[in-house]
Amino acid sequence: MPEQNQFDYNVAFSRNIGWFTEKEQAHLRQCRVAVGGLGGVGGSHLITLARLGIGKFTITDLDTFDWPNLNRQAGASCSTMGLPKLDVMARQVLDINPEADLKLMPNGLSLDNIDDFLDGVDLYMDSLDIFALDIRRRVFARCRERGIPAVTAAPMGMGTAMLAFHPQGMSFEDYFALDGFAFEDQILKFIVGVSPSMQQRHYLLERGSVNLFKKKVPSTAIGIELAAGVACTNAIKLILKRGDVIVAPRGLHFDAYRNTMIRTWRPFGNRNPMQRFMFWYIKRLLSR
């Protein structure tokens, strides 16, 4: 046994064994996951995967922690206000696993560094800002070209909606069908695409809290943590190649507030008549 203050990977993650075999845990130790953005879901995704024993990460963020982050972001505390999210979250990962292999990209994602971001990656966890659609589309496209599975899970009120994209399945572009729409409509189509059943609409009390023109949407720690649990579960299944993974155009929406769990299926993605109606309905609802 190691000394009390000495880190040992096998001891630190021994409670995972049973849900994973020792061979699978050893495999997770050698895997690299890319996490794009370390704010809301990104920080929680990263910490959850670190505690599952993933041994290598490529992480990027160019923002610093601010006071409105306190209600939901894993690295946000009074002591981290004004500090770079990348540095804070890297330190948290190393506090969990001092042997973790971290590749830090402090300047965020751009067209020039997407390939560097994805080099050697086994899986991409999407956690970019909801309004960063252009670079998100590019990253998903490059994942597909390079054969990298990708998972996105959004906090929706007090629940989460999850989509996974497999390189041999339906693409991000085919599913979301964003071309030809104004920016605000693209954001709304992304929200409706991730969350086809839109369960959260039933208990949104202040519609004015959603303002796509001002890039403002409400979020809770409840949704963030549920998103991390659902997204990371499916990430692990994709990495270990076991278990039933729901991939686009199928999705999953669990809402703890409404006590509902809905499996969605939208052939043709946002081109599906049900999606067209939901887009129209939500746009009309928010414009009142």
Side-chain angles (χ1 to χ4, degrees):
M1 291 290 292
E3 295 180 9
Q4 184 176 357
N5 295 323
Q6 180 181 345
F7 175 82
D8 182 287
Y9 179 94
N10 294 323
V11 174
F13 301 104
S14 60
R15 292 297 180 94
N16 291 340
I17 304 304
W19 304 116
F20 309 138
T21 66
E22 291 185 0
K23 183 178 180 180
E24 287 175 332
Q25 189 69 61
H27 178 62
L28 295 178
R29 188 178 188 177
Q30 300 304 317
C31 284
R32 178 173 295 276
V33 174
V35 183
L38 300 173
V41 291
S44 290
H45 288 354
L46 179 65
I47 295 304
T48 300
L49 290 171
R51 293 193 187 281
L52 289 170
I54 296 291
K56 303 175 183 180
F57 294 99
T58 300
I59 56 178
T60 179
D61 200 291
L62 46 69
D63 200 4
T64 57
F65 283 110
D66 196 6
W67 295 107
N69 302 150
L70 278 173
N71 81 313
R72 69 199 184 283
Q73 296 192 14
S77 64
C78 292
S79 64
T80 63
M81 289 299 103
L83 297 181
K85 294 181 181 180
L86 185 67
D87 294 346
V88 171
M89 297 313 299
R91 186 164 59 248
Q92 285 197 18
V93 171
L94 292 174
D95 277 346
I96 294 167
N97 178 4
E99 298 174 356
D101 180 344
L102 299 183
K103 179 178 178 180
L104 308 184
M105 300 180 65
N107 298 317
L109 283 174
S110 68
L111 297 181
D112 296 328
N113 65 12
I114 289 176
D115 278 325
D116 186 27
F117 176 67
L118 295 175
D119 279 348
V121 164
D122 297 284
L123 182 132
Y124 169 59
M125 292 293 285
D126 178 39
S127 54
L128 294 169
D129 187 276
I130 190 174
F131 298 101
L133 267 184
D134 287 343
I135 194 66
R136 173 179 274 113
R137 294 173 71 176
R138 298 281 189 159
V139 174
F140 271 91
R142 199 69 185 107
C143 283
R144 185 175 180 84
E145 292 166 358
R146 298 183 60 157
I148 300 170
V151 178
T152 187
M156 297 293 182
M158 290 175 240
T160 185
M162 188 279 299
L163 285 173
F165 290 88
H166 194 275
Q168 281 76 53
M170 191 175 194
S171 72
F172 183 96
E173 291 296 317
D174 285 341
Y175 181 84
F176 284 102
L178 302 175
D179 285 340
F181 289 85
F183 177 74
E184 289 76 17
D185 284 350
Q186 287 188 13
I187 298 299
L188 187 54
K189 284 176 72 68
F190 179 69
I191 293 171
V192 172
V194 173
S195 173
S197 64
M198 291 296 290
Q199 293 298 297
Q200 67 277 15
R201 76 185 190 276
H202 296 289
Y203 55 92
L204 178 64
L205 302 179
E206 298 288 344
R207 292 176 188 166
S209 64
V210 180
N211 191 320
L212 302 184
F213 287 96
K214 294 184 178 180
K215 297 185 177 181
K216 178 185 174 184
V217 292
S219 186
T220 69
I222 296 169
I224 295 288
E225 297 306 319
L226 288 171
V230 172
C232 293
T233 298
N234 283 276
I236 291 296
K237 289 194 289 183
L238 284 162
I239 289 172
L240 297 179
K241 295 182 173 59
R242 68 172 170 91
D244 178 25
V245 179
I246 299 173
V247 298
R250 299 180 186 275
L252 182 71
H253 192 154
F254 171 69
D255 193 289
Y257 186 85
R258 302 196 75 224
N259 302 315
T260 57
M261 199 284 285
I262 298 175
R263 292 171 65 113
T264 56
W265 181 44
R266 296 295 186 270
F268 312 112
N270 275 340
R271 295 183 180 92
N272 187 288
M274 293 175 66
Q275 289 298 93
R276 291 174 182 268
F277 172 79
M278 186 62 79
F279 170 76
W280 170 84
Y281 173 76
I282 297 299
K283 185 175 182 179
R284 183 170 176 267
L285 190 68
L286 293 178
S287 65
R288 290 178 180 175

